[in-house]
Amino acid sequence: MDKTKVGVSQEEKRLSYYKYFEQDLAPIPVEKLAFLNEQSKARCIPFEEKNSFLAGTDTDCCQLGYGVNPDGMGFVCNETYMPGVTVEMMDWWFPWHSVGSDLRYKIWDPEDHYFARADRADYVCDPNVPMNQKTWGVTHYIMEDVGPGPEFLMLRFMDPADYGYDKSLIGTEKCASMVCAAGLSSFSASMTHKWYPYKDGIMFCSRFWIGYGLIDGEMKRGLPESASVPEFIPKGLYAHNIKEFTNLASILPSLYEEEKGVF
């Protein structure tokens, strides 16, 4: 059954990018939808080995799908080929959608996104802050639906070094740029997106480690040792992830050309 799009105001309808809200969402590739039927048989790269993900050496681990690792931690993996998208476009997208109108977040996934608001809009909009650093130290307050219904969450974006990454891996063949964040909603989770030039666009790769979070200032396991993340949580997040990034890939090239000068 088709979902209803979220509400928009008359003010939002007058914005130049409202047309992206009105259009149909891009269709999700059937091969990605097929993975919804069962958990991945491959494990996800463990959080402690996440530098292998940046380096692109985790090829023996899950690249597309979701599941629960033997240690009870949930995971989601996705790869999205984005024709016509550049590294610079994606560097711009993550800070741009967190300031200004809520419509910026809604056009990403009009059926599931309500708002995303940066707590440090002055920093995000500061022209002296490099585009690929505008998320560092910024918390996004978000309302979205990843399956069970609309839910409020906080997504704390971080300097990759504070997240535990080797920053020398950024700017390399398999990781031209990236963002990473610790999320807090009904379950703690950690997220990394990386992207790099591929064919006539970029390859955009995502990893979510569900059950890991920022605890007492450190990235660590947030579940009791004997606990396990319920399967429906990574399954719902996977379904949402393949939907939102498929749609973003379809709108970002033209959106960027039209709006890149307006922050």
Side-chain angles (χ1 to χ4, degrees):
M1 181 181 296
D2 292 337
K3 294 184 65 175
T4 302
K5 291 185 177 182
V6 304
V8 292
S9 68
Q10 291 301 316
E11 180 183 12
E12 288 172 320
K13 290 180 180 179
R14 291 192 288 268
L15 293 171
S16 57
Y17 43 92
Y18 176 64
K19 61 188 177 183
Y20 296 107
F21 181 90
E22 289 189 293
Q23 68 186 39
D24 292 337
L25 274 76
I28 302 168
V30 293
E31 61 270 20
K32 289 192 174 185
L33 290 172
F35 281 91
L36 277 172
N37 296 326
E38 60 179 338
Q39 293 191 53
S40 172
K41 294 181 174 61
R43 68 163 191 156
C44 178
I45 188 76
F47 184 80
E48 295 79 10
E49 301 174 27
K50 58 189 176 294
N51 278 313
S52 294
F53 167 58
L54 287 197
T57 57
D58 62 336
T59 53
D60 59 335
C61 296
C62 180
Q63 303 295 310
L64 181 65
Y66 69 92
V68 180
N69 273 342
D71 64 357
M73 308 306 295
F75 66 87
V76 170
C77 307
N78 188 21
E79 293 183 329
T80 306
Y81 169 46
M82 298 185 172
V85 176
T86 66
V87 171
E88 292 74 23
M89 288 180 191
M90 195 58 70
D91 283 339
W92 170 85
W93 166 254
F94 278 100
W96 183 82
H97 81 254
S98 71
V99 294
S101 171
D102 293 340
L103 185 65
R104 295 184 179 188
Y105 194 55
K106 292 175 182 179
I107 62 174
W108 186 356
D109 179 351
E111 296 179 346
D112 303 303
H113 285 182
Y114 293 78
F115 61 77
R117 301 169 186 168
D119 67 341
R120 300 174 60 197
D122 56 339
Y123 173 83
V124 175
C125 296
D126 186 343
N128 295 313
V129 177
M131 195 68 70
N132 62 356
Q133 297 179 20
K134 286 181 178 290
T135 61
W136 294 8
V138 177
T139 296
H140 292 188
Y141 294 91
I142 294 170
M143 179 72 76
E144 67 179 5
D145 182 358
V146 296
E151 185 176 9
F152 177 74
L153 67 95
M154 293 185 296
L155 201 56
R156 181 174 176 180
F157 287 85
M158 301 169 67
D159 180 321
D162 295 334
Y163 197 85
Y165 278 120
D166 176 357
K167 290 174 72 171
S168 70
L169 296 170
I170 304 172
T172 57
E173 181 183 7
K174 292 295 184 179
C175 179
S177 193
M178 63 167 293
V179 294
C180 53
L184 181 62
S185 58
S186 54
F187 267 81
S188 61
S190 299
M191 171 197 82
T192 298
H193 302 303
K194 71 168 187 175
W195 51 95
Y196 55 89
Y198 181 78
K199 295 183 178 179
D200 62 347
I202 64 168
M203 182 63 74
F204 186 91
C205 306
S206 303
R207 296 292 182 273
F208 293 84
W209 295 274
I210 305 168
Y212 278 90
L214 189 64
I215 302 170
D216 299 327
E218 296 182 20
M219 298 299 298
K220 61 177 68 173
R221 180 186 176 104
L223 286 178
E225 289 301 320
S226 59
S228 183
V229 172
E231 178 190 341
F232 77 88
I233 293 178
K235 181 177 182 179
L237 183 55
Y238 171 77
H240 178 71
N241 191 257
I242 61 176
K243 179 181 181 182
E244 65 179 349
F245 282 106
T246 298
N247 195 58
L248 181 61
S250 73
I251 69 173
L252 188 53
S254 57
L255 175 69
Y256 178 77
E257 287 305 313
E258 295 161 359
E259 305 294 334
K260 62 184 178 183
V262 181
F263 229 92

